[in-house]
Amino acid sequence: MRHFYYLCFLLLGFLSLPVRAGGDNRAPEQYTKEYIMKDYMKDPVRTLQLLDKAEVNSAMPLNIVDELRSAVYRNMYRNKSALHYARRAYVSDSLSHDNPSHLLRMTVSMAELFSLLSEYKESMRYAVQGVELARELKDIQSECKLLFCMGENKRRLSFKEEGYLFFDQAIDLLDNSKNEDYETMLSYFYGVKMGYLIADKRSNEALEIGLQREKLLDRMSEQSKIRADLLDLQFAYVYSKLAYLFHLMGDQKRAAVYYKKYQSTNAASTPDGKFDATPYLLLLGKYQAVLDNCRDFKEVMRQQDTLNSQYLSILNLEIQANVKLENYKTVINLQRDITAIKDSIYQREKQNAALELDALYELNEKEARISEQAFQLKIRTITLICILSGALLALFFLWRLWHQNCVIRNKNKALVKRINEQFSMQEEMDRSQLGVEKDLSFPEKVEDESGDNEEQDKQMNKMIFEKLDYIIKRDKMYLSPDLSREELTRIVRMNNTRFAKMIKENTDTNLNGYINNLRLNYAIHLMKEQPDYTLRAIAESSGINSMPTFHQLFKGRTGMTPSEFKNAQKDMDS
């Protein structure tokens, strides 16, 4: 308990520290928004580290730091983390009321992120608020973003025509402004609407808007202020979709021309860019290429902290390709995955509705408590005591967990040391055994035991087993997962009954136990000699194809799991 008291005193001392005064808040060059965000797409981890330092040094306002964090996480497809920091910045702006433009930016982020997380009701609520604020501030870009977000929400809620009306409002507003600064956003809106038109099988409209976007991109490419990598991404998308549409409408020649243009872009070699071309490849009957592109993009999507409709579109394309390849078992599994994801989204929407009612109830309770200042003071005091008690309790449990982990690690080290000693002795015995040449001939046929001379039979069994054991270890036959009893009985020319008795007499176990013991010895050898190997690679190299079986056998033999053994071995080596 002495350690626990130390932790308590440390916590109380930490809570009693005064807040550091402002000091010199001048931001050095590396803590400016432009410097931090210039490489956030290529190196998001470094960008997040810079933002952490900027917050610690108070080099930037906290709401700006949270806005930039949200942007980085969103680019990493970690939308829940992005929403967390966007909400923090939004709440800060809402309380301060000193920067309406930044509040509008965060409102746009909240609407878009809630939409990406399939929480459409919340997204619409923030979008409606944002449109009103954007019109007050005469911010056309923000208004268009929110209108387009509302259109996407309507479409995902199956109100497709209403969705297209919102899309057209946003596009017309940008197009009529005749402002070159809005062309990047206009191109993006063209691309998204084109994708939706394709999904709704409105090919003529999709082709028309695709050709409009191509002209817009050609015009944008003449402007030096447009980043070349962003233009390349947009060209790749529009070329791949135009190839698909022309092929769909029977103009294979123009389709091939646009596909060649798509292949000339840098984005065509990225997972996102490859996925753009999958509908066209599906029409061409290149089903394996479709599956390869989907697999690469799924690896990117799996880095997300949530699953949404974009992931469902990948699964649907995989289903179409697998149906053509007659992989019906895979199709069934993919359909089950889609059903499970849709059920998850539905349950999340129900939970959000319940949370909204709970939030309204808490708001009413808060208003009632305003008139009861004395009671409010008491509640605050109790809350502070509870938080402090909870923190102390958490520290106690953390200490207990740390102590328990230390005990387990020490026990594992002792086990590993004992196992290594036994293993070294066994290796030495095996080397000495294999270093002696033996007569490896077996009797033409080993007769069944007569029972008249049991001691002679045992001696015969021992002699035959030693030769067989020598061959198995020398040739490492145990590493083959297909090693069978029949193969070994053929070597020793013995029937199954006597073979089983011979193994039992000389190993105190059955054939599976004997072979698995050799495999585990080899697995321990690999863990020591090849510490960088994965557990699956070690298991398969040792002749055990099933990971559950490997874990069960290893724990039964050593008293710890393979990962525990491997970590303990690393601790001993370091």
Side-chain angles (χ1 to χ4, degrees):
M1 292 297 293
R2 184 178 61 184
H3 299 286
F4 174 61
Y5 292 136
Y6 289 159
L7 289 172
C8 292
F9 287 130
L10 285 173
L11 176 65
L12 290 172
F14 174 75
L15 292 174
S16 63
L17 287 174
V19 179
R20 183 172 62 87
D24 188 2
N25 287 330
R26 290 176 298 176
E29 180 188 355
Q30 66 267 31
Y31 294 141
T32 61
K33 180 177 179 179
E34 292 73 18
Y35 179 86
I36 289 175
M37 298 302 286
K38 68 178 182 178
D39 291 324
Y40 81 99
M41 295 181 71
K42 296 179 181 177
D43 195 354
V45 174
R46 178 178 174 275
T47 303
L48 291 172
Q49 291 171 347
L50 284 174
L51 289 170
D52 289 340
K53 291 179 182 178
E55 180 180 358
V56 170
N57 296 323
S58 301
M60 298 173 66
L62 185 57
N63 61 337
I64 301 297
V65 172
D66 286 335
E67 176 197 5
L68 301 182
R69 281 178 176 142
S70 178
V72 175
Y73 279 118
R74 184 170 176 179
N75 184 64
M76 296 167 68
Y77 295 99
R78 295 176 59 180
N79 295 324
K80 284 186 178 178
S81 299
L83 178 63
H84 170 75
Y85 288 109
R87 195 199 304 269
R88 285 199 350 179
Y90 174 84
V91 170
S92 177
D93 290 338
S94 299
L95 293 175
S96 64
H97 298 290
D98 59 355
N99 193 343
S101 296
H102 191 264
L103 175 62
L104 176 58
R105 286 209 305 272
M106 300 322 301
T107 305
V108 173
S109 293
M110 293 288 285
E112 292 176 343
L113 286 166
F114 271 119
S115 181
L116 289 172
L117 291 168
S118 304
E119 298 183 26
Y120 306 123
K121 182 183 288 187
E122 282 296 295
S123 177
M124 291 297 286
R125 184 167 69 85
Y126 282 100
V128 170
Q129 293 176 4
V131 167
E132 293 178 0
L133 181 58
R135 288 172 179 168
E136 289 178 15
L137 299 176
K138 295 181 172 33
D139 189 331
I140 293 178
Q141 281 189 304
S142 296
E143 181 181 352
C144 291
K145 285 182 180 180
L146 292 164
L147 288 171
F148 209 83
C149 180
M150 292 167 74
E152 290 184 303
N153 291 335
K154 287 288 186 181
R155 189 181 185 283
R156 288 165 183 161
L157 291 169
S158 300
F159 301 110
K160 293 183 180 179
E161 292 305 321
E162 293 183 36
Y164 283 118
L165 289 176
F166 279 113
F167 294 156
D168 291 339
Q169 285 184 54
I171 289 172
D172 290 344
L173 193 58
L174 287 175
D175 200 19
N176 293 334
S177 67
K178 305 300 181 185
N179 190 329
E180 287 186 353
D181 294 335
Y182 299 163
E183 287 183 341
T184 300
M185 184 182 296
L186 180 60
S187 172
Y188 170 76
F189 287 171
Y190 276 151
V192 176
K193 184 181 177 183
M194 180 184 182
Y196 288 144
L197 289 168
I198 291 173
D200 293 338
K201 303 188 185 307
R202 297 163 68 163
S203 302
N204 289 328
E205 297 173 70
L207 184 60
E208 180 182 352
I209 202 169
L211 294 172
Q212 288 177 347
R213 189 185 189 193
E214 183 187 16
K215 292 179 181 178
L216 176 63
L217 289 173
D218 288 336
R219 193 164 65 245
M220 290 169 60
S221 63
E222 298 172 0
Q223 303 174 25
S224 58
K225 62 183 179 180
I226 306 294
R227 283 175 49 180
D229 55 340
L230 295 179
L231 271 176
D232 183 77
L233 285 171
Q234 296 182 63
F235 271 120
Y237 177 86
V238 75
Y239 288 153
S240 65
K241 299 309 174 188
L242 287 173
Y244 168 79
L245 289 168
F246 276 118
H247 191 282
L248 197 66
M249 300 178 73
D251 194 345
Q252 285 84 1
K253 187 175 181 180
R254 291 190 70 181
V257 170
Y258 275 106
Y259 186 67
K260 190 172 182 181
K261 288 183 177 181
Y262 156 80
Q263 289 179 310
S264 67
T265 63
N266 294 326
S269 59
T270 66
D272 303 45
K274 289 179 182 178
F275 182 73
D276 289 337
T278 49
Y280 179 66
L281 295 174
L282 202 61
L283 288 180
L284 294 179
K286 298 182 179 181
Y287 306 121
Q288 189 56 50
V290 171
L291 293 177
D292 292 339
N293 290 353
C294 288
R295 183 191 63 244
D296 292 343
F297 194 51
K298 278 170 71 175
E299 289 302 316
V300 176
M301 294 293 291
R302 285 194 181 106
Q303 299 174 17
Q304 298 189 49
D305 48 13
T306 185
L307 298 177
N308 54 28
S309 56
Q310 190 176 23
Y311 193 84
L312 292 177
S313 67
I314 301 174
L315 298 183
N316 282 318
L317 278 170
E318 286 186 312
I319 286 176
Q320 294 179 51
N322 279 295
V323 167
K324 296 294 185 180
L325 293 172
E326 299 182 356
N327 296 331
Y328 298 117
K329 187 175 181 180
T330 304
V331 170
I332 292 172
N333 291 332
L334 289 169
Q335 288 173 337
R336 287 175 181 166
D337 290 344
I338 289 174
T339 302
I341 293 170
K342 287 183 176 178
D343 288 342
S344 173
I345 294 173
Y346 174 71
Q347 291 297 328
R348 188 163 64 225
E349 290 175 348
K350 287 176 62 178
Q351 184 181 17
N352 288 339
L355 289 173
E356 184 175 345
L357 291 175
D358 186 58
L360 291 173
Y361 173 77
E362 288 183 359
L363 181 61
N364 293 332
E365 286 292 305
K366 187 182 293 184
E367 290 176 353
R369 287 196 298 267
I370 291 176
S371 60
E372 302 175 8
Q373 294 297 327
F375 180 70
Q376 182 73 359
L377 181 60
K378 184 178 179 180
I379 291 294
R380 289 177 182 173
T381 304
I382 293 173
T383 302
L384 182 59
I385 293 173
C386 290
I387 291 173
L388 183 59
S389 301
L392 293 174
L393 190 61
L395 280 174
F396 173 70
F397 281 116
L398 285 172
W399 173 80
R400 286 293 301 273
L401 183 62
W402 171 81
H403 179 70
Q404 186 178 5
N405 285 338
C406 288
V407 171
I408 292 173
R409 287 178 64 186
N410 290 333
K411 186 190 87 170
N412 287 344
K413 284 183 181 180
L415 281 172
V416 168
K417 184 177 179 182
R418 180 171 59 82
I419 291 168
N420 285 341
E421 291 173 354
Q422 294 174 351
F423 185 72
S424 297
M425 292 175 60
Q426 183 64 44
E427 279 190 326
E428 185 63 32
M429 291 173 61
D430 289 343
R431 279 196 295 270
S432 62
Q433 179 187 1
L434 294 175
V436 178
E437 294 188 3
K438 286 191 176 185
D439 176 16
L440 300 180
S441 61
F442 294 94
E444 287 297 325
K445 182 177 182 183
V446 180
E447 301 293 338
D448 294 341
E449 295 178 350
S450 61
D452 297 335
N453 193 339
E454 185 176 347
E455 188 62 32
Q456 185 177 354
D457 289 338
K458 283 186 177 181
Q459 289 298 324
M460 174 67 75
N461 288 346
K462 183 178 180 182
M463 181 267 293
I464 293 174
F465 173 77
E466 288 176 352
K467 293 180 179 181
L468 178 64
D469 183 61
Y470 181 89
I471 292 172
I472 290 174
K473 290 178 179 177
R474 183 194 64 187
D475 299 341
K476 295 184 179 179
M477 297 173 67
Y478 53 85
L479 298 183
S480 170
D482 300 324
L483 182 64
S484 65
R485 178 188 297 268
E486 289 73 18
E487 184 178 350
L488 297 177
T489 55
R490 281 197 301 271
I491 293 174
V492 298
R493 302 187 180 106
M494 183 181 290
N495 63 39
N496 287 336
T497 303
R498 181 156 184 178
F499 181 82
K501 186 174 181 182
M502 176 191 72
I503 295 296
K504 180 68 175 176
E505 286 176 355
N506 289 277
T507 66
D508 290 328
T509 184
N510 57 20
L511 178 62
N512 285 338
Y514 163 63
I515 295 299
N516 286 333
N517 204 36
L518 295 176
R519 289 169 174 167
L520 290 175
N521 285 344
Y522 189 76
I524 292 172
H525 169 76
L526 282 180
M527 286 185 185
K528 293 174 64 178
E529 298 299 324
Q530 303 293 342
D532 295 330
Y533 276 22
T534 64
L535 291 178
R536 180 171 291 280
I538 289 171
E540 291 177 352
S541 299
S542 305
I544 304 173
N545 288 335
S546 169
M547 287 303 293
T549 302
F550 180 58
H551 277 263
Q552 181 182 2
L553 292 172
F554 198 95
K555 184 156 189 176
R557 164 80 179 277
T558 65
M560 66 180 81
T561 64
S563 57
E564 289 173 342
F565 180 90
K566 195 173 182 183
N567 291 334
Q569 184 70 49
K570 283 183 179 179
D571 290 341
M572 292 183 65
D573 294 340
S574 60

